[in-house]
Amino acid sequence: MFVIAEEVREALANDQPVVALESTVIAHGLPYPKNVEIAREMEANVRAAGAVPATIALFDGAVHVGLTEAQLEQLAEPGVEKVNLSNLSLVLASKGVGATTVAATIWCAARVGIDVMATGGIGGVHRGDDWDVSSDLPALAQTPVAVVCSGAKSILDLRRTREWLETWGIPVVGVETDVFPAFFSRLTELPVDVRVETPEDAASIVGVHLTVRESGILVTVPVPAEHEVPVAAFNRFLAAANAELAARNIRGADVTPALLDALARISEGATLRANEALLRNNATMAARLAVALTQLDGEWAD
Ligand code: PSU
Ligand code: MN
């Protein structure tokens, strides 16, 4: 059921740092060929910071942890399923190709003993009252993995998303930020639970959390300032994108990819550039966290 790349297997066996990477962002989050390029760059950044990258996806009835170049390319082809916890077993059973969201990626990571994952942003509570809540949230509530991300996209209801995290016991650490970042933008009015200045400083908190709790922990890193999309501009892009989606009657799991695509077009690439910058940066930050976690010693080290 699990096919673990040799390099990842060795690192895990020797308590070396490993960073899990999701694959939905490749298959459904970014346009081709940028998506494959970014996937490779994220892996390279993880390596440069001293950890082993483990991109996760489903192929032929197995969870693959650590992908070949050919598999990365395959994820960019049409027809790849978007996999969360509601269809993970179904896609495995059908032996199809599945790109894992944060929810499915952390589940797989935890099963093979990986403590840290990097992504762009988590899913959350959608705007409106139709109970569209990302599977990422319950997965975080149940899965002991640290997720390094730039918060959640402001296409979501961020206030409800932030409340959900607190209710379900998922601590939010801010790296160089007092507020929960909004993916494309650095600022919101929503607090983090604790601020640290570096990913290394987050390691002792993450180490304790993963030892005493059975839930995930978010380590949020704002988009690099030079690539931020300011909130006011973003809200204009979002209003236009939402109007477009409503007219096309898009629902459920298709909403996030369709919105990202519309936003990139309407913002003339500004949201895409922010997305790329934060993905690269988060890969580096996650690797630094993973390295620091393996160097922890004392009572709380696992
Ligand atoms: N953030 C991005 N691009 C993405 C996603 C998040 O910048 O493609 C994906 C992640 O895989 C996340 C998923 O787990 O969207 C959430 O989708 P949904 O709201 O359908 O659960
Ligand atoms: Mn959803």
Side-chain angles (χ1 to χ4, degrees):
M1 194 67 88
F2 284 86
V3 178
I4 307 178
E6 188 56 37
E7 186 191 17
V8 175
R9 185 195 306 278
E10 262 176 37
L12 290 172
N14 297 307
D15 285 326
Q16 296 296 309
V18 176
V19 173
L21 299 168
E22 62 150 307
S23 44
T24 289
V25 65
I26 307 171
H28 306 107
L30 295 165
Y32 183 84
K34 262 278 169 257
N35 50 0
V36 181
E37 224 174 279
I38 295 289
R40 285 196 195 105
E41 286 181 60
M42 288 180 77
E43 291 198 349
N45 285 3
V46 169
R47 282 184 207 287
V52 173
T55 305
I56 293 178
L58 313 185
F59 293 96
D60 207 18
V63 175
H64 285 250
V65 182
L67 306 184
T68 63
E69 190 64 20
Q71 285 174 323
L72 273 189
E73 290 275 353
Q74 228 181 315
L75 287 170
E77 287 168 14
V80 175
E81 301 268 2
K82 176 175 167 183
V83 177
N84 62 24
L85 295 182
S86 73
N87 62 347
L88 182 99
S89 47
L90 310 186
V91 175
L92 283 174
S94 73
K95 301 193 186 304
V97 180
T100 52
T101 59
V102 170
T105 304
I106 59 175
W107 183 84
C108 298
R111 288 292 297 263
V112 301
I114 301 174
D115 290 336
V116 179
M117 183 222 169
T119 186
I122 58 163
V125 181
H126 279 264
R127 297 183 184 192
D129 290 315
D130 57 2
W131 285 89
D132 184 352
V133 177
S134 174
S135 171
D136 291 355
L137 293 182
L140 278 163
Q142 296 173 313
T143 316
V145 171
V147 175
V148 177
C149 66
S150 298
K153 280 182 286 298
S154 37
I155 60 176
L156 299 166
D157 186 327
L158 287 184
R159 193 168 291 279
R160 285 184 173 153
T161 301
R162 184 68 189 86
E163 290 295 342
W164 207 104
L165 292 167
E166 188 198 335
T167 301
W168 287 92
I170 302 154
V172 179
V173 180
V175 178
E176 273 191 281
T177 181
D178 296 309
V179 295
F180 190 62
F183 196 78
F184 300 116
S185 318
R186 294 171 61 85
L187 296 180
T188 60
E189 289 172 354
L190 305 167
V192 297
D193 291 311
V194 60
R195 173 185 174 130
V196 296
E197 299 310 316
T198 66
E200 287 77 16
D201 292 340
S204 53
I205 297 169
V206 169
V208 172
H209 182 81
L210 295 180
T211 308
V212 303
R213 294 274 287 113
E214 294 295 319
S215 74
I217 177 167
L218 284 186
V219 178
T220 60
V221 181
V223 59
E226 65 274 26
H227 296 289
E228 177 180 30
V229 183
V231 178
F234 180 78
N235 285 339
R236 284 199 309 277
F237 302 146
L238 182 60
N242 273 331
E244 187 185 310
L245 260 67
R248 288 159 58 200
N249 202 22
I250 291 173
R251 293 262 181 280
D254 295 334
V255 168
T256 303
L259 258 183
L260 287 174
D261 182 59
L263 283 169
R265 210 169 352 93
I266 293 164
S267 71
E268 296 175 346
T271 58
L272 197 55
R273 289 188 290 278
N275 202 342
E276 291 165 17
L278 65 87
L279 282 167
R280 287 194 202 97
N281 188 46
N282 292 351
T284 300
M285 294 294 194
R288 286 173 57 184
L289 171 63
V291 169
L293 266 180
T294 60
Q295 292 167 350
L296 279 186
D297 49 20
E299 194 183 355
W300 299 109
D302 62 9

